[in-house]
Amino acid sequence: MTVAVIPFKPKNPKTRLSCVLDEQEREAFAEAMLLDVVNVVRDADCQPVILGTELFDSDLVQVTIKDAGLSEALNEYLSCAVTGVLIIMADLPLADKESVRRVIGTKMDMAIVPGRGGGTNVIYLKEPARFHVDYYDGSYLKHMKIAQECGLSCEVIDSFLLHTDIDEKEDLAELLIHGTGKSRAFLLERGFAITTDKGRVGVERKSRN
Amino acid sequence: MTVAVIPFKPKNPKTRLSCVLDEQEREAFAEAMLLDVVNVVRDADCQPVILGTELFDSDLVQVTIKDAGLSEALNEYLSCAVTGVLIIMADLPLADKESVRRVIGTKMDMAIVPGRGGGTNVIYLKEPARFHVDYYDGSYLKHMKIAQECGLSCEVIDSFLLHTDIDEKEDLAELLIHGTGKSRAFLLERGFAITTDKGRVGVERKSRN
């Protein structure tokens, strides 16, 4: 059984979406994205564990960590883990079963999915204690270097569904186009729709229901 | 033999990169990206044909079309094609052999790779005469609808390497991080480098050599 660790920030998340969603809406939207990720990793036969800075109202298995210590908390977890570990971010609602299976099906020691802008969206480790994470500031290249230093073979999984993290207003268009789950439904319920302007697709919010 | 049709604009291309590259540089950069795509489709056993609005100095097979008629020109080509056709954009220098092979290896009637912002980056057609293209204004959803109307089964290929078209300054960071070919080398020669600011990776140009 692979454990899927999903870092999650329940309070005041996704501040770069403040232009179109107020704080309460951002919290509901972030939780909808989390649930999409949880459902997908379950479909891929992983056991989700939420790693958060505080508990939130949910039946999901939650582990809380002190503020400002994502890498440290994950490394503590990895050093003790006895099964394969998938670390997957909570803002990847385009993820589907096939893309997650491609990650955990790697024949190498580990797999990684880069995010846009040099980040790391997903890491899969067959032997977690042999690796350590170092998030922020271009973590993708740092993780590739750590893999090499630790002598671990690493497959880069070529998936735009796992590459597309939802951070900014423009990203909502990707969710409306390619999404299928609760977070897309949340946007539609709140009046978001795709627009077409000069050949590029964007989003608009028709009403604040 | 699959023919890979690559639409290409040799004069004043990639105007959204004007902030960091002058016109002559943009033309050289666009040609470097084109050559990266040409090399990759050849590696994947496709025969490249450049579809452009004017001839440029090159040994590549070129077909010229009238201005402002990409969809029309492609549809004329498709209606007469007797082999499988891959339509791949010239601004996809992250493309690699594996991702192109995933596209042309589809078991369905056709395959498509969406671009960022609702566009279409790659289409593969086993029976080109049964389909017609309609680019611009959110072409991905239009192409999915056309496939359905034409009774063609269509696989969406989940690849960030083919999803990432290089249009804006921020995209250059993706090319510096994930690229391997001539267009990446061009950027390095011109003094472009990755920067890290507030956890996101960007680019800066150190010098105008």
Side-chain angles (χ1 to χ4, degrees):
Chain A
M1 168 65 81
T2 297
V3 173
V5 180
I6 311 172
F8 181 64
K9 183 189 175 194
K11 296 289 177 201
N12 195 25
K14 294 287 154 198
T15 49
R16 281 191 277 165
L17 291 173
S18 301
C19 52
V20 285
L21 293 170
D22 66 30
E23 184 171 340
Q24 199 184 354
E25 289 173 321
R26 282 185 282 111
E27 290 181 0
F29 179 59
E31 198 170 326
M33 291 201 289
L34 171 69
L35 290 175
D36 285 341
V37 173
V38 164
N39 286 335
V40 157
V41 299
R42 278 188 178 144
D43 283 350
D45 296 322
C46 299
Q47 167 66 44
V49 171
I50 317 303
L51 188 74
T53 48
E54 54 225 303
L55 290 172
F56 65 106
D57 187 22
S58 164
D59 294 332
L60 295 164
V61 176
Q62 297 178 49
V63 175
T64 55
I65 56 172
K66 281 181 190 158
D67 224 23
L70 176 63
S71 295
E72 293 75 4
L74 278 168
N75 286 332
E76 207 171 300
Y77 186 91
L78 295 178
S79 67
C80 309
V82 291
T83 65
V85 170
L86 179 76
I87 305 168
I88 180 166
M89 294 300 150
D91 60 354
L92 301 173
L94 302 189
D96 66 359
K97 187 167 75 174
E98 289 68 33
S99 54
V100 173
R101 284 209 170 144
R102 280 168 62 204
V103 175
I104 61 179
T106 186
K107 290 177 179 162
M108 301 205 184
D109 297 324
M110 60 178 288
I112 189 166
V113 185
R116 271 175 51 198
T120 306
N121 285 358
V122 185
I123 297 177
Y124 171 64
L125 301 160
K126 288 184 183 170
E127 298 175 77
R130 292 180 62 191
F131 189 79
H132 62 275
V133 296
D134 186 358
Y135 281 94
Y136 307 115
D137 300 327
S139 63
Y140 170 68
L141 291 174
K142 288 196 288 186
H143 287 141
M144 292 299 280
K145 195 175 167 202
I146 294 168
Q148 196 172 29
E149 288 166 354
C150 295
L152 296 170
S153 60
C154 180
E155 181 176 0
V156 179
I157 303 294
D158 177 19
S159 163
F160 86 83
L161 296 175
L162 293 175
H163 177 73
T164 307
D165 36 358
I166 305 297
D167 282 323
E168 298 175 3
K169 187 187 170 192
E170 291 69 37
D171 304 329
L172 300 181
E174 305 297 335
L175 181 51
L176 288 172
I177 294 171
H178 301 290
T180 56
K182 290 174 190 294
S183 53
R184 178 173 183 269
F186 174 91
L187 292 181
L188 293 175
E189 280 162 19
R190 300 294 166 125
F192 284 88
I194 293 169
T195 61
T196 307
D197 181 33
K198 289 185 187 170
R200 278 185 96 79
V201 166
V203 288
E204 63 175 5
R205 187 170 184 176
K206 288 174 180 167
S207 58
R208 289 207 170 234
N209 296 324
Chain B
M1 169 64 82
T2 298
V3 174
V5 180
I6 311 173
F8 181 63
K9 183 188 176 194
K11 297 289 176 201
N12 196 24
K14 294 286 154 200
T15 49
R16 281 191 276 164
L17 291 173
S18 301
C19 53
V20 286
L21 293 169
D22 66 30
E23 183 171 339
Q24 199 183 356
E25 289 173 321
R26 282 185 282 112
E27 290 181 0
F29 180 58
E31 198 170 325
M33 291 201 289
L34 172 69
L35 290 176
D36 285 340
V37 173
V38 164
N39 287 335
V40 157
V41 298
R42 278 187 178 145
D43 283 349
D45 296 322
C46 299
Q47 167 65 44
V49 172
I50 316 304
L51 188 74
T53 49
E54 54 225 303
L55 291 170
F56 66 105
D57 186 24
S58 165
D59 294 333
L60 295 164
V61 176
Q62 297 178 50
V63 175
T64 55
I65 55 172
K66 281 182 188 158
D67 223 22
L70 176 63
S71 295
E72 293 75 6
L74 278 168
N75 286 332
E76 207 171 299
Y77 186 91
L78 295 179
S79 67
C80 309
V82 291
T83 65
V85 170
L86 179 76
I87 304 167
I88 179 166
M89 295 299 150
D91 60 354
L92 300 173
L94 302 189
D96 66 359
K97 187 167 73 174
E98 289 69 32
S99 53
V100 173
R101 286 209 168 144
R102 281 168 62 204
V103 174
I104 62 178
T106 185
K107 289 176 179 164
M108 300 203 184
D109 297 324
M110 60 178 287
I112 189 166
V113 186
R116 270 176 51 198
T120 306
N121 285 358
V122 186
I123 297 178
Y124 172 64
L125 301 160
K126 288 184 184 171
E127 297 176 77
R130 293 180 63 193
F131 189 79
H132 62 275
V133 297
D134 186 357
Y135 281 93
Y136 307 115
D137 299 327
S139 64
Y140 170 68
L141 291 174
K142 288 196 288 186
H143 287 140
M144 293 299 281
K145 195 176 167 201
I146 294 167
Q148 196 173 27
E149 288 167 355
C150 295
L152 295 169
S153 60
C154 181
E155 182 176 359
V156 179
I157 303 294
D158 177 19
S159 163
F160 86 83
L161 296 176
L162 294 175
H163 176 73
T164 307
D165 35 358
I166 305 297
D167 283 322
E168 298 175 2
K169 187 186 170 191
E170 291 69 37
D171 303 330
L172 300 180
E174 305 297 335
L175 180 52
L176 288 172
I177 295 171
H178 301 290
T180 57
K182 291 175 189 295
S183 53
R184 179 173 182 270
F186 174 92
L187 292 181
L188 293 175
E189 280 161 19
R190 301 293 166 126
F192 284 88
I194 293 169
T195 60
T196 307
D197 181 33
K198 289 185 188 171
R200 278 185 95 80
V201 166
V203 289
E204 62 175 6
R205 187 169 184 175
K206 286 175 181 167
S207 58
R208 289 205 171 235
N209 295 326

